[in-house]
Amino acid sequence: MTPFQGLSAFPITPTDARGRVDTEALGRLLERLHAAGVDSIGLLGSTGGYMYLTREERRRAIAAAVGCIGGRTPLIVGVGALRTDEAQNLARDAASEGADALLLAPVSYTPLTEEEVYQHYAAVAEATDLPLCIYNNPGTTHFTFSDALLERLAGVANIKAVKMPLPK
């Protein structure tokens, strides 16, 4: 079964005042989503404030999620980062902690070219064997995937899906 079908729920990532993931609260959220019958759970997406968590806290969140729902509901983990090598490390962390799939947004401080985005996605997709979903979220990233870029990325072996905003 592919994790990229049906209803995928993207919960917040509860943290304390110091920015540490509240793994007990996260577990309660994930149990509720599993009980509701969602087809997959998207952890560390833009609703999860993932960009503000350290690598260690992201890893703790993944470990807690896998410990809670692993094997019962597919877990898609957001691995967006400013640097390609950091996104690759986050992808490897997600794989080693037991994630089922990855979600990647093109995060940048400055505008990206299509070639830069292609190279970023190809490098992150090659970091693990996990299927990867392109996160086309122009409202947050200020980058919009063209049809031509999506077609080119479709040729990358591990890229299996695109999460798109609703048309306006």
Side-chain angles (χ1 to χ4, degrees):
M1 176 173 98
T2 175
F4 305 126
Q5 66 183 17
L7 176 63
S8 186
F10 284 81
I12 63 168
T13 307
T15 60
D16 64 19
R18 297 175 309 173
R20 286 189 48 89
V21 173
D22 182 340
T23 56
E24 289 182 25
L26 178 61
R28 288 190 300 272
L29 288 170
L30 299 178
E31 282 293 348
R32 290 183 71 177
L33 293 172
H34 170 74
V38 299
D39 296 298
S40 64
I41 294 174
L43 186 72
L44 303 175
S46 54
T47 55
Y50 71 98
M51 289 301 298
Y52 303 102
L53 297 175
T54 64
R55 181 177 175 190
E56 295 77 25
E57 286 304 306
R58 290 186 192 199
R59 195 170 188 134
R60 280 186 69 239
I62 299 165
V66 170
C68 178
I69 55 116
R72 299 187 298 145
T73 301
L75 185 67
I76 304 167
V77 175
V79 295
L82 285 171
R83 295 170 40 131
T84 300
D85 60 344
E86 183 62 15
Q88 290 173 310
N89 287 335
L90 295 170
R92 289 181 194 107
D93 290 349
S96 69
E97 292 295 337
D100 298 297
L102 305 172
L103 177 69
L104 179 62
V107 179
S108 179
Y109 180 74
T110 58
L112 296 169
T113 67
E114 288 200 350
E115 183 61 23
E116 289 168 330
V117 170
Y118 176 83
Q119 294 300 329
H120 180 68
Y121 273 79
V124 175
E126 291 174 0
T128 76
D129 291 334
L130 293 178
L132 185 142
C133 179
I134 295 167
Y135 191 8
N136 185 13
N137 187 358
T140 300
T141 64
H142 306 288
F143 182 87
T144 302
F145 287 81
S146 69
D147 290 344
L149 179 56
L150 290 172
E151 288 174 17
R152 189 173 172 208
L153 286 166
V156 176
N158 290 356
I159 295 179
K160 301 297 184 187
V162 181
K163 183 177 186 293
M164 299 284 286
L166 292 173
K168 293 182 179 185

